[in-house]
Amino acid sequence: MSSEKKILNCGTTDPNKILPIKYKWAREYYKKGVANNWVPEEVNMQGDLEIWKNPRALSDDERRLILWNMGFFSTAESLTANNLVLSIYKHITNPECRQYLLRQAFEEAIHTDTFIYCCDTLSLNPDEVYDMYRSIPSIKDKDDFVVDMTKSLLNPSFETKTKEDIQNFVHDLVGFYVIMEGIFFYAGFVMILSFLRQNRMVGIGEQFQFILRDESIHLAFGTDLIKTIVAENPEIWTSDFKEVIRKNIIRAVELEYTYAKDCLPQGILGLNADFIKEYIQYIADRRLERIGLEKIYGSQNPFPWMSEIIDLRKEKNFFETRVTEYQSGTLRWD
Ligand code: FE
Ligand code: MN
């Protein structure tokens, strides 16, 4: 019976028995992911290459902003994929959640591939880009913060048996889903999508648009997963534990603001680091509320266009650029 299914420590059902489904949200996110299928080669990068090669088409500040975001995302995507496959998958034995985790892992492979494709087409120096997670302090600090949060899970004997174990697990899930995918990606999204809004570096902009849409589902799955673990194990949700999570999110917002200041030492593209700080605070409040915690900042969204970009349907872009290849897919033409 599906009612015997539990999200953690479920010895009573077979992990291969996906039907009947208990956690319908996991199934729905899986289907949404499939409906959003894309690959980076669908996006034409020719216009970006022309701009990138033209020494007068981009200011030094604009170039740095693009390069640093390539640097952060190129390695953050594989960090996320590794966390997912090596840590989270092992402990989430519920089959419908595992089905989604497999889909998410595939999407992270697509994202990793996107940065390979961008580096190749723009002829970026891979040694430079793929070393920025060590050589640029504000990128390194973000990655170190997330890696630090995975320590308990990387212990091969880690189990989710006791209250403290489950707290550690949820703590780490907040690190992966809420902080890495839900906060640390967002200054970069705003910066790159600001080029797209100006109709410049449109290829990279569209790649980021697709990634952002995937990531918003990863985040939604992650927060539903966290909420379900808490609902089934209410003893873990103590005020001390909630305070630990709040402090981690506050620290993440600070790290993301430091990164934004480094990327954007002076205002360009209608952006500056203080607007980005407000935006990060605004989304951090939304993330807190989504996992059942009170908001902290009360900041307004300075970039209301970001939510439109997330909701944008792929087919619209797609018909403008590459009509033919999508006919084999499941897209309906009405
Ligand atoms: Fe990703
Ligand atoms: Mn992701």
Side-chain angles (χ1 to χ4, degrees):
M1 271 166 55
S2 66
S3 60
E4 288 169 9
K5 282 183 174 175
K6 282 195 303 171
I7 204 91
L8 290 178
N9 305 321
C10 194
T12 56
T13 55
D14 182 342
N16 298 315
K17 193 169 175 290
I18 194 164
L19 292 179
I21 282 173
K22 178 173 180 185
Y23 302 106
K24 297 205 168 61
W25 45 270
R27 176 79 178 149
E28 274 155 30
Y29 293 132
Y30 175 82
K31 292 203 157 204
K32 271 190 194 169
V34 172
N36 285 348
N37 215 46
W38 67 286
V39 290
E41 288 79 6
E42 288 166 13
V43 177
N44 188 325
M45 300 285 290
Q46 194 53 40
D48 294 46
L49 180 61
E50 279 160 25
I51 295 174
W52 190 256
K53 291 285 174 206
N54 177 348
R56 282 157 311 169
L58 292 164
S59 68
D60 289 347
D61 280 353
E62 289 169 339
R63 268 176 211 280
R64 177 181 44 230
L65 189 147
I66 292 165
L67 213 51
W68 282 34
N69 281 301
M70 290 289 128
F72 170 67
F73 279 91
S74 60
T75 44
E77 294 290 3
S78 53
L79 181 68
T80 307
N82 284 326
N83 283 337
L84 203 61
V85 173
L86 298 175
S87 308
I88 299 175
Y89 193 85
K90 181 177 169 193
H91 299 289
I92 299 292
T93 54
N94 170 262
E96 51 267 35
C97 288
R98 280 196 161 176
Q99 176 82 339
Y100 181 76
L101 292 172
L102 292 172
R103 173 72 208 182
Q104 187 188 345
F106 169 72
E107 289 171 9
E108 302 304 357
I110 296 284
H111 301 172
T112 298
D113 193 31
T114 304
F115 292 98
I116 296 173
Y117 179 62
C118 289
C119 274
D120 282 354
T121 51
L122 299 182
S123 300
L124 304 180
N125 176 356
D127 285 325
E128 184 190 2
V129 171
Y130 283 81
D131 199 49
M132 284 180 166
Y133 79 105
R134 289 189 295 226
S135 64
I136 307 277
S138 59
I139 295 178
K140 182 175 188 302
D141 288 348
K142 293 203 303 181
D143 285 351
D144 286 352
F145 186 65
V146 168
V147 169
D148 249 15
M149 288 189 172
T150 71
K151 288 239 165 86
S152 53
L153 292 194
L154 286 178
N155 176 351
S157 59
F158 178 78
E159 288 187 312
T160 54
K161 295 293 180 203
T162 67
K163 174 182 157 190
E164 287 69 32
D165 292 337
I166 297 173
Q167 284 177 333
N168 284 334
F169 188 57
V170 168
H171 171 272
D172 291 14
L173 287 177
V174 170
F176 296 141
Y177 280 108
V178 178
I179 291 178
M180 186 57 140
E181 302 197 291
I183 294 176
F184 284 172
F185 282 8
Y186 276 76
F189 286 148
V190 169
M191 293 180 205
I192 298 294
L193 292 170
S194 294
F195 279 100
L196 182 65
R197 292 188 81 220
Q198 294 191 347
N199 236 355
R200 296 160 73 212
M201 301 301 280
V202 169
I204 289 187
E206 287 185 359
Q207 310 271 16
F208 269 68
Q209 206 174 7
F210 288 153
I211 291 176
L212 170 57
R213 191 182 52 181
D214 292 345
E215 296 300 345
S216 60
I217 299 175
H218 301 174
L219 173 66
F221 170 84
T223 52
D224 278 3
L225 179 62
I226 290 164
K227 277 193 297 190
T228 304
I229 295 173
V230 171
E232 292 184 6
N233 303 275
E235 71 284 358
I236 70 166
W237 208 229
T238 62
S239 49
D240 282 355
F241 182 53
K242 287 191 250 188
E243 194 50 32
V244 169
I245 289 179
R246 275 167 58 87
K247 283 197 174 129
N248 283 342
I249 290 177
I250 290 169
R251 179 72 186 133
V253 168
E254 287 168 2
L255 289 169
E256 192 64 351
Y257 177 47
T258 304
Y259 172 73
K261 279 190 292 192
D262 265 9
C263 276
L264 260 180
Q266 51 191 352
I268 47 170
L269 303 161
L271 297 176
N272 63 43
D274 286 325
F275 284 145
I276 291 184
K277 180 187 184 182
E278 250 182 88
Y279 179 68
I280 298 301
Q281 292 178 339
Y282 168 81
I283 62 165
D285 276 347
R286 304 287 81 74
R287 311 302 184 241
L288 285 158
E289 289 175 331
R290 180 118 191 181
I291 57 170
L293 296 175
E294 272 172 40
K295 65 180 180 183
I296 296 172
Y297 302 101
S299 297
Q300 298 298 306
N301 181 2
F303 309 121
W305 52 267
M306 278 292 286
S307 41
E308 289 155 37
I309 278 191
I310 299 171
D311 296 337
L312 203 95
R313 291 180 62 76
K314 181 187 177 191
E315 299 93 85
K316 185 170 156 266
N317 270 328
F318 217 67
F319 286 140
E320 285 162 9
T321 47
R322 300 274 293 261
V323 179
T324 48
E325 260 126 298
Y326 213 62
Q327 294 176 349
S328 59
T330 53
L331 183 72
R332 294 216 266 124
W333 294 79
D334 51 19

